[in-house]
Amino acid sequence: QVQLVESGGGLVQAGGSLRLSCEASERTFRSYAMGWLRQAPGKERELVASIRSSGSTNYADAVKGRFTISRDNAKNTMYLQMNNLKPEDTAVYTCVLTRLGVPTTTFYDYGGQGTQVTVSS
């Protein structure tokens, strides 16, 4: 069982920045692809960004150029740097891990509890 613990959410004004962290309990963290999902009230879950074990990344169009996903395998931690935040970025952000392939909104092996990000206008 892999435990994922997110941190770094909060309230920020539009145009501001936040950095989310996700620490994994699994020592073989470096072998797995990970990602960040988000879900706002009344909206569908969205895959914000993903990162493979190789370090290659993918982003949703809505966050390209503003968000950066990264990982520090020595610390078993994944990050999501969010810049130029917009009110529409308000959501619960959840980190996910998959042992095979790349996570999607419906496919992943483990997920964290989620952290709230609120962007005020």
Side-chain angles (χ1 to χ4, degrees):
Q1 184 76 13
V2 178
Q3 293 184 333
L4 302 173
V5 180
E6 302 101 335
S7 61
L11 174 64
V12 65
Q13 289 187 331
S17 298
L18 283 174
R19 188 177 80 157
L20 305 183
S21 299
C22 174
E23 184 174 359
S25 62
E26 178 64 49
R27 286 182 292 177
T28 55
F29 165 87
R30 66 181 65 236
S31 300
Y32 305 134
M34 300 190 69
W36 288 96
L37 305 180
R38 70 182 181 184
Q39 187 162 23
K43 294 187 177 180
E44 292 187 354
R45 184 180 295 180
E46 177 182 24
L47 177 63
V48 175
S50 62
I51 184 167
R52 294 178 180 268
S53 58
S54 64
S56 65
T57 59
N58 279 290
Y59 297 92
D61 288 342
V63 306
K64 282 181 180 177
R66 299 189 298 121
F67 289 12
T68 302
I69 189 171
S70 62
R71 62 194 301 162
D72 184 338
N73 291 331
K75 296 182 178 180
N76 286 1
T77 302
M78 175 181 66
Y79 303 97
L80 185 68
Q81 177 67 43
M82 305 184 293
N83 298 328
N84 190 22
L85 282 160
K86 303 176 181 180
E88 52 263 43
D89 294 317
T90 296
V92 175
Y93 286 71
T94 304
C95 74
V96 294
L97 177 151
T98 179
R99 296 184 184 274
L100 293 175
V102 181
T104 68
T105 56
T106 55
F107 174 75
Y108 53 89
D109 294 300
Y110 301 100
Q113 293 297 311
T115 185
Q116 177 70 46
V117 171
T118 302
V119 185
S120 63
S121 57

